Short mmCIF file of all heavy atoms in Angstrom, two decimals:
data_model
loop_
_atom_site.label_atom_id
_atom_site.label_comp_id
_atom_site.label_asym_id
_atom_site.label_seq_id
_atom_site.Cartn_x
_atom_site.Cartn_y
_atom_site.Cartn_z
N LYS A 2 151.11 34.84 142.43
CA LYS A 2 150.62 33.48 142.54
C LYS A 2 151.02 32.63 141.35
O LYS A 2 150.97 31.42 141.43
CB LYS A 2 149.10 33.45 142.69
CG LYS A 2 148.63 34.05 144.01
CD LYS A 2 147.14 34.02 144.13
CE LYS A 2 146.69 34.63 145.45
NZ LYS A 2 145.24 34.63 145.55
N GLN A 3 151.39 33.26 140.24
CA GLN A 3 151.76 32.49 139.04
C GLN A 3 153.30 32.35 138.91
O GLN A 3 153.77 32.06 137.83
CB GLN A 3 151.18 33.13 137.79
CG GLN A 3 149.68 33.04 137.81
CD GLN A 3 149.05 33.63 136.53
OE1 GLN A 3 149.67 34.38 135.84
NE2 GLN A 3 147.80 33.28 136.27
N ILE A 4 154.02 32.45 140.00
CA ILE A 4 155.47 32.27 139.97
C ILE A 4 155.72 30.82 139.59
O ILE A 4 154.94 29.93 139.95
CB ILE A 4 156.09 32.68 141.31
CG1 ILE A 4 157.59 32.79 141.15
CG2 ILE A 4 155.73 31.70 142.38
CD1 ILE A 4 158.26 33.49 142.34
N CYS A 5 156.81 30.58 138.92
CA CYS A 5 157.14 29.23 138.48
C CYS A 5 157.28 28.31 139.70
O CYS A 5 158.06 28.57 140.60
CB CYS A 5 158.47 29.25 137.72
SG CYS A 5 159.09 27.63 137.25
N PRO A 6 156.53 27.20 139.74
CA PRO A 6 156.62 26.30 140.90
C PRO A 6 157.93 25.60 141.01
O PRO A 6 158.30 25.10 142.06
CB PRO A 6 155.47 25.31 140.64
CG PRO A 6 155.22 25.38 139.19
CD PRO A 6 155.55 26.76 138.73
N GLY A 7 158.71 25.58 139.94
CA GLY A 7 160.04 24.92 139.96
C GLY A 7 161.18 25.85 140.27
O GLY A 7 162.35 25.50 140.14
N GLU A 8 160.89 27.10 140.75
CA GLU A 8 161.95 28.07 140.95
C GLU A 8 163.02 27.56 141.94
O GLU A 8 164.22 27.65 141.66
CB GLU A 8 161.36 29.38 141.51
CG GLU A 8 162.44 30.40 141.85
CD GLU A 8 161.89 31.67 142.48
OE1 GLU A 8 160.75 31.69 142.92
OE2 GLU A 8 162.67 32.64 142.52
N GLY A 9 162.60 27.02 143.04
CA GLY A 9 163.59 26.53 144.04
C GLY A 9 164.47 25.44 143.50
O GLY A 9 165.71 25.48 143.67
N LEU A 10 163.89 24.50 142.78
CA LEU A 10 164.65 23.43 142.20
C LEU A 10 165.59 23.95 141.09
O LEU A 10 166.78 23.59 141.05
CB LEU A 10 163.75 22.36 141.62
CG LEU A 10 164.42 21.15 140.95
CD1 LEU A 10 165.27 20.42 141.94
CD2 LEU A 10 163.39 20.23 140.34
N ALA A 11 165.10 24.84 140.28
CA ALA A 11 165.91 25.42 139.19
C ALA A 11 167.10 26.19 139.75
O ALA A 11 168.26 26.00 139.31
CB ALA A 11 165.07 26.32 138.31
N CYS A 12 166.84 27.00 140.77
CA CYS A 12 167.96 27.77 141.39
C CYS A 12 169.01 26.87 142.00
O CYS A 12 170.20 27.09 141.86
CB CYS A 12 167.41 28.74 142.41
SG CYS A 12 166.49 30.13 141.71
N MET A 13 168.55 25.83 142.68
CA MET A 13 169.49 24.88 143.28
C MET A 13 170.32 24.18 142.23
O MET A 13 171.56 24.06 142.35
CB MET A 13 168.72 23.86 144.10
CG MET A 13 169.64 22.80 144.76
SD MET A 13 168.71 21.53 145.67
CE MET A 13 167.80 20.75 144.32
N LYS A 14 169.71 23.75 141.15
CA LYS A 14 170.44 23.02 140.10
C LYS A 14 171.41 23.93 139.37
O LYS A 14 172.55 23.53 139.06
CB LYS A 14 169.46 22.37 139.12
CG LYS A 14 168.69 21.21 139.77
CD LYS A 14 167.87 20.47 138.74
CE LYS A 14 168.76 19.59 137.98
NZ LYS A 14 168.51 18.20 137.94
N ILE A 15 171.00 25.15 139.09
CA ILE A 15 171.90 26.12 138.44
C ILE A 15 173.11 26.38 139.31
O ILE A 15 174.25 26.39 138.87
CB ILE A 15 171.18 27.43 138.06
CG1 ILE A 15 170.13 27.17 137.02
CG2 ILE A 15 172.17 28.49 137.63
CD1 ILE A 15 169.14 28.36 136.81
N PHE A 16 172.88 26.59 140.61
CA PHE A 16 173.98 26.86 141.55
C PHE A 16 174.92 25.67 141.61
O PHE A 16 176.15 25.82 141.54
CB PHE A 16 173.44 27.16 142.96
CG PHE A 16 174.57 27.34 143.95
CD1 PHE A 16 175.21 28.54 144.04
CD2 PHE A 16 174.95 26.32 144.72
CE1 PHE A 16 176.26 28.73 144.93
CE2 PHE A 16 176.02 26.44 145.64
CZ PHE A 16 176.66 27.65 145.74
N LEU A 17 174.37 24.44 141.73
CA LEU A 17 175.22 23.25 141.82
C LEU A 17 176.04 23.05 140.56
O LEU A 17 177.23 22.72 140.63
CB LEU A 17 174.37 22.02 142.10
CG LEU A 17 173.78 21.90 143.50
CD1 LEU A 17 172.80 20.71 143.56
CD2 LEU A 17 174.87 21.77 144.51
N LEU A 18 175.47 23.27 139.40
CA LEU A 18 176.17 23.14 138.12
C LEU A 18 177.31 24.14 138.05
O LEU A 18 178.46 23.77 137.75
CB LEU A 18 175.21 23.32 136.96
CG LEU A 18 175.86 23.25 135.57
CD1 LEU A 18 176.40 21.87 135.28
CD2 LEU A 18 174.88 23.66 134.50
N MET A 19 177.02 25.41 138.35
CA MET A 19 178.07 26.44 138.29
C MET A 19 179.17 26.17 139.30
O MET A 19 180.36 26.28 138.98
CB MET A 19 177.46 27.82 138.53
CG MET A 19 176.61 28.32 137.40
SD MET A 19 177.55 28.69 135.91
CE MET A 19 178.54 30.03 136.46
N ALA A 20 178.81 25.82 140.53
CA ALA A 20 179.79 25.58 141.57
C ALA A 20 180.67 24.40 141.19
O ALA A 20 181.91 24.44 141.37
CB ALA A 20 179.11 25.36 142.90
N THR A 21 180.08 23.33 140.66
CA THR A 21 180.86 22.15 140.29
C THR A 21 181.86 22.47 139.14
O THR A 21 183.02 22.08 139.22
CB THR A 21 179.91 21.01 139.86
OG1 THR A 21 179.02 20.71 140.95
CG2 THR A 21 180.69 19.78 139.45
N ILE A 22 181.36 23.18 138.16
CA ILE A 22 182.27 23.58 137.04
C ILE A 22 183.41 24.46 137.54
O ILE A 22 184.57 24.20 137.27
CB ILE A 22 181.48 24.30 135.92
CG1 ILE A 22 180.57 23.31 135.21
CG2 ILE A 22 182.41 24.99 134.93
CD1 ILE A 22 179.58 23.96 134.26
N LEU A 23 183.08 25.47 138.35
CA LEU A 23 184.11 26.44 138.77
C LEU A 23 185.05 25.83 139.80
O LEU A 23 186.20 26.28 139.88
CB LEU A 23 183.43 27.68 139.33
CG LEU A 23 182.66 28.50 138.29
CD1 LEU A 23 181.95 29.65 138.92
CD2 LEU A 23 183.60 29.01 137.21
N GLN A 24 184.65 24.85 140.55
CA GLN A 24 185.53 24.17 141.50
C GLN A 24 186.46 23.17 140.82
O GLN A 24 187.53 22.86 141.38
CB GLN A 24 184.73 23.45 142.58
CG GLN A 24 184.06 24.39 143.55
CD GLN A 24 183.20 23.66 144.56
OE1 GLN A 24 182.79 22.54 144.35
NE2 GLN A 24 182.93 24.33 145.66
N ASN A 25 186.05 22.67 139.70
CA ASN A 25 186.85 21.61 139.04
C ASN A 25 187.61 22.00 137.80
O ASN A 25 188.41 21.22 137.29
CB ASN A 25 185.91 20.41 138.74
CG ASN A 25 185.42 19.75 140.01
OD1 ASN A 25 186.22 19.10 140.70
ND2 ASN A 25 184.20 19.94 140.32
N PHE A 26 187.34 23.18 137.27
CA PHE A 26 187.97 23.58 136.02
C PHE A 26 188.40 25.05 136.08
O PHE A 26 187.81 25.87 136.78
CB PHE A 26 186.98 23.43 134.85
CG PHE A 26 186.55 22.02 134.59
CD1 PHE A 26 185.37 21.53 135.11
CD2 PHE A 26 187.36 21.14 133.86
CE1 PHE A 26 184.97 20.22 134.86
CE2 PHE A 26 186.98 19.86 133.61
CZ PHE A 26 185.79 19.36 134.12
N THR A 27 189.42 25.34 135.34
CA THR A 27 189.80 26.71 135.03
C THR A 27 189.29 26.98 133.63
O THR A 27 189.62 26.25 132.69
CB THR A 27 191.33 26.90 135.11
OG1 THR A 27 191.77 26.59 136.41
CG2 THR A 27 191.75 28.30 134.75
N LEU A 28 188.47 28.00 133.48
CA LEU A 28 187.90 28.29 132.20
C LEU A 28 188.73 29.35 131.48
O LEU A 28 188.98 30.44 132.05
CB LEU A 28 186.42 28.81 132.36
CG LEU A 28 185.52 27.85 133.09
CD1 LEU A 28 184.14 28.46 133.30
CD2 LEU A 28 185.42 26.51 132.36
N LYS A 29 189.18 29.02 130.28
CA LYS A 29 190.02 29.95 129.53
C LYS A 29 189.33 30.23 128.17
O LYS A 29 188.97 29.30 127.46
CB LYS A 29 191.40 29.32 129.21
CG LYS A 29 192.19 28.94 130.47
CD LYS A 29 193.02 30.11 130.88
CE LYS A 29 193.88 29.68 132.06
NZ LYS A 29 194.63 30.71 132.62
N PRO A 30 189.17 31.49 127.82
CA PRO A 30 188.57 31.81 126.54
C PRO A 30 189.52 31.47 125.37
O PRO A 30 190.71 31.53 125.54
CB PRO A 30 188.31 33.31 126.60
CG PRO A 30 189.29 33.80 127.59
CD PRO A 30 189.53 32.70 128.57
N VAL A 31 188.92 31.14 124.25
CA VAL A 31 189.72 30.85 123.02
C VAL A 31 190.12 32.13 122.34
O VAL A 31 191.15 32.21 121.72
CB VAL A 31 188.93 29.93 122.09
CG1 VAL A 31 189.66 29.66 120.79
CG2 VAL A 31 188.60 28.61 122.80
N VAL A 32 189.29 33.18 122.47
CA VAL A 32 189.58 34.49 121.85
C VAL A 32 189.72 35.50 122.97
O VAL A 32 189.37 35.24 124.13
CB VAL A 32 188.44 34.91 120.87
CG1 VAL A 32 188.33 33.94 119.73
CG2 VAL A 32 187.13 35.06 121.58
N ASP A 33 190.15 36.68 122.61
CA ASP A 33 190.28 37.78 123.59
C ASP A 33 188.92 38.08 124.19
O ASP A 33 187.95 38.31 123.42
CB ASP A 33 190.85 39.00 122.88
CG ASP A 33 191.03 40.18 123.83
OD1 ASP A 33 190.78 40.04 125.05
OD2 ASP A 33 191.47 41.26 123.35
N PRO A 34 188.74 38.06 125.50
CA PRO A 34 187.42 38.32 126.08
C PRO A 34 186.82 39.70 125.69
O PRO A 34 185.60 39.85 125.71
CB PRO A 34 187.69 38.29 127.61
CG PRO A 34 188.94 37.47 127.76
CD PRO A 34 189.74 37.70 126.52
N GLN A 35 187.66 40.65 125.34
CA GLN A 35 187.17 41.94 124.92
C GLN A 35 186.37 41.86 123.61
O GLN A 35 185.57 42.73 123.32
CB GLN A 35 188.32 42.93 124.78
CG GLN A 35 189.07 43.19 126.03
CD GLN A 35 188.21 43.76 127.16
OE1 GLN A 35 187.33 44.53 126.91
NE2 GLN A 35 188.49 43.38 128.40
N GLU A 36 186.61 40.80 122.83
CA GLU A 36 185.91 40.62 121.57
C GLU A 36 184.53 39.99 121.73
O GLU A 36 183.76 39.98 120.78
CB GLU A 36 186.75 39.71 120.64
CG GLU A 36 188.06 40.33 120.21
CD GLU A 36 188.89 39.38 119.36
OE1 GLU A 36 188.30 38.44 118.77
OE2 GLU A 36 190.10 39.57 119.31
N LEU A 37 184.22 39.50 122.93
CA LEU A 37 182.94 38.81 123.15
C LEU A 37 181.87 39.79 123.54
O LEU A 37 182.08 40.72 124.32
CB LEU A 37 183.10 37.79 124.29
CG LEU A 37 184.09 36.68 124.05
CD1 LEU A 37 184.24 35.81 125.30
CD2 LEU A 37 183.67 35.82 122.85
N SER A 38 180.70 39.61 122.98
CA SER A 38 179.53 40.40 123.37
C SER A 38 178.62 39.53 124.23
O SER A 38 178.26 38.43 123.82
CB SER A 38 178.77 40.88 122.14
OG SER A 38 177.53 41.46 122.53
N ILE A 39 178.23 40.06 125.41
CA ILE A 39 177.32 39.30 126.25
C ILE A 39 175.92 39.92 126.23
O ILE A 39 175.05 39.47 126.97
CB ILE A 39 177.85 39.22 127.70
CG1 ILE A 39 178.03 40.61 128.30
CG2 ILE A 39 179.14 38.43 127.74
CD1 ILE A 39 178.38 40.63 129.77
N THR A 40 175.70 40.88 125.40
CA THR A 40 174.36 41.52 125.30
C THR A 40 173.36 40.54 124.66
O THR A 40 173.63 40.08 123.55
CB THR A 40 174.46 42.79 124.45
OG1 THR A 40 175.45 43.64 125.05
CG2 THR A 40 173.14 43.52 124.44
N PRO A 41 172.27 40.24 125.34
CA PRO A 41 171.30 39.36 124.77
C PRO A 41 170.55 39.97 123.60
O PRO A 41 170.42 41.17 123.47
CB PRO A 41 170.32 39.06 125.91
CG PRO A 41 170.46 40.22 126.86
CD PRO A 41 171.87 40.73 126.67
N THR A 42 170.07 39.06 122.72
CA THR A 42 169.21 39.54 121.62
C THR A 42 167.81 39.66 122.15
O THR A 42 167.26 38.71 122.74
CB THR A 42 169.25 38.47 120.47
OG1 THR A 42 170.61 38.32 120.06
CG2 THR A 42 168.40 38.93 119.28
N LEU A 43 167.19 40.82 121.99
CA LEU A 43 165.87 41.07 122.56
C LEU A 43 164.78 40.56 121.60
O LEU A 43 164.90 40.66 120.41
CB LEU A 43 165.67 42.58 122.80
CG LEU A 43 166.76 43.22 123.68
CD1 LEU A 43 166.48 44.73 123.75
CD2 LEU A 43 166.79 42.60 125.04
N SER A 44 163.71 40.05 122.20
CA SER A 44 162.53 39.63 121.45
C SER A 44 161.32 39.93 122.30
O SER A 44 161.42 40.28 123.47
CB SER A 44 162.58 38.16 121.05
OG SER A 44 162.31 37.35 122.15
N GLU A 45 160.12 39.79 121.74
CA GLU A 45 158.89 40.08 122.49
C GLU A 45 158.67 39.07 123.60
O GLU A 45 158.14 39.44 124.63
CB GLU A 45 157.74 40.10 121.54
CG GLU A 45 157.66 41.31 120.66
CD GLU A 45 156.43 41.39 119.81
OE1 GLU A 45 155.39 40.80 120.23
OE2 GLU A 45 156.48 41.96 118.76
N THR A 46 158.97 37.80 123.36
CA THR A 46 158.66 36.81 124.39
C THR A 46 159.84 36.41 125.25
O THR A 46 159.63 35.84 126.29
CB THR A 46 158.15 35.55 123.68
OG1 THR A 46 159.16 35.07 122.75
CG2 THR A 46 156.86 35.78 122.92
N GLY A 47 161.03 36.70 124.84
CA GLY A 47 162.20 36.37 125.66
C GLY A 47 163.48 36.94 125.09
O GLY A 47 163.51 37.39 123.95
N ASN A 48 164.46 36.94 125.93
CA ASN A 48 165.77 37.45 125.52
C ASN A 48 166.61 36.21 125.24
O ASN A 48 166.67 35.28 126.06
CB ASN A 48 166.40 38.30 126.60
CG ASN A 48 165.63 39.61 126.80
OD1 ASN A 48 165.03 40.07 125.87
ND2 ASN A 48 165.65 40.13 128.00
#
């Protein structure tokens, strides 16, 4: 019952933003992608 009331809106906006970026741009890394770490920093309240 305590799920975020804005979940539907947030999901829609995230999808639209990603789709718009990926449809209009080619994303190229500045450094070798193997050098990038995508592991989040862990904390008690959030990652």
Side-chain angles (χ1 to χ4, degrees):
K2 292 180 181 179
Q3 293 182 341
I4 194 166
C5 176
E8 176 183 15
L10 180 62
C12 288
M13 179 183 64
K14 291 187 78 122
I15 294 168
F16 177 82
L17 287 172
L18 177 67
M19 289 292 295
T21 301
I22 290 170
L23 294 175
Q24 287 176 340
N25 291 290
F26 297 98
T27 299
L28 304 176
K29 301 272 184 184
V31 176
V32 298
D33 180 2
Q35 299 299 326
E36 296 177 20
L37 299 175
S38 171
I39 59 173
T40 305
T42 302
L43 305 177
S44 76
E45 287 185 27
T46 58
N48 294 331

